[in-house]
Amino acid sequence: MNTGTIVLIVILVILVAVLIGLYFLGKKAQKKQEEQQQQIEAYKQNVSMLIIDKKRMRLKEAGLPQAVIDQTPKLMRRSKLPIVKAKVGPQIVTLVADEKIFDDIPVKKEVKAVVSGIYITSVRGMHGKTVVQNTKKKSKFKQLLEKAQEKAGAGQVK
């Protein structure tokens, strides 16, 4: 055997070992996520609230209790989370929204939300309608592209 094939075999063995390690880490993370989801389901409550503000911000800037900050992993403390300030009854509360529903939460509107601790899992409008808000601004490039496509489509129709 020459050195090229030996190096290739060693690299293949290392790649297989890394893939096996990632497989088991993925399984472990999936079990942990399922346990967390069960806890969220156990503690969920329907709450009526007025959404005051929503932003993506770091945990320390969000104004969450110190106990929450202490319990989060060190890597997560620096990442930005979807934070919602809402008036629940007479109190103004800072909550963390689920990433999937953060864009659908309306600002300065009263909603019914499913809350588990300080975590918002879903939001509905006050009259049973699902609140869908699509107010993302399009970039200049996308606006120009859409205009060009409309003109091209109108030119073909004639």
Side-chain angles (χ1 to χ4, degrees):
M1 286 190 165
N2 61 15
T3 57
T5 55
I6 294 173
V7 169
L8 189 64
I9 291 172
V10 169
I11 290 173
L12 278 173
V13 169
I14 291 173
L15 281 174
V16 168
V18 167
L19 286 174
I20 290 171
L22 286 174
Y23 173 77
F24 286 112
L25 283 175
K27 282 277 208 190
K28 186 177 177 182
Q30 188 176 8
K31 284 182 184 177
K32 195 173 186 179
Q33 184 182 18
E34 288 173 2
E35 290 173 7
Q36 288 174 349
Q37 196 64 34
Q38 287 175 350
Q39 278 186 328
I40 287 173
E41 290 295 320
Y43 293 112
K44 72 179 184 179
Q45 299 175 337
N46 290 327
V47 178
S48 176
M49 62 176 66
L50 173 70
I51 306 296
I52 298 171
D53 190 23
K54 68 176 189 173
K55 290 182 187 175
R56 292 186 192 278
M57 56 178 53
R58 291 200 165 86
L59 232 103
K60 290 189 178 185
E61 299 167 358
L64 292 169
Q66 188 61 37
V68 173
I69 296 171
D70 293 340
Q71 288 178 355
T72 54
K74 297 223 186 256
L75 292 174
M76 286 293 295
R77 291 183 193 175
R78 302 209 57 188
S79 65
K80 290 189 176 184
L81 294 176
I83 303 294
V84 175
K85 288 199 186 248
K87 185 174 182 182
V88 181
Q91 290 181 313
I92 294 178
V93 183
T94 303
L95 302 166
V96 178
D98 191 1
E99 198 69 47
K100 298 174 211 160
I101 65 156
F102 182 68
D103 294 329
D104 296 339
I105 298 174
V107 180
K108 301 207 183 349
K109 299 255 192 250
E110 195 165 343
V111 296
K112 285 186 181 177
V114 178
V115 179
S116 178
I118 62 163
Y119 194 69
I120 301 173
T121 57
S122 70
V123 173
R124 290 187 314 135
M126 280 304 286
H127 301 290
K129 299 177 204 154
T130 304
V131 178
V132 178
Q133 196 180 44
N134 195 1
T135 58
K136 279 190 174 180
K137 288 187 176 179
K138 296 179 183 174
S139 66
K140 288 283 186 187
F141 178 73
K142 286 186 179 179
Q143 288 175 357
L144 290 172
L145 189 63
E146 282 183 4
K147 283 183 183 179
Q149 288 175 346
E150 286 175 13
K151 288 181 181 179
Q156 292 175 354
V157 172
K158 291 181 182 179

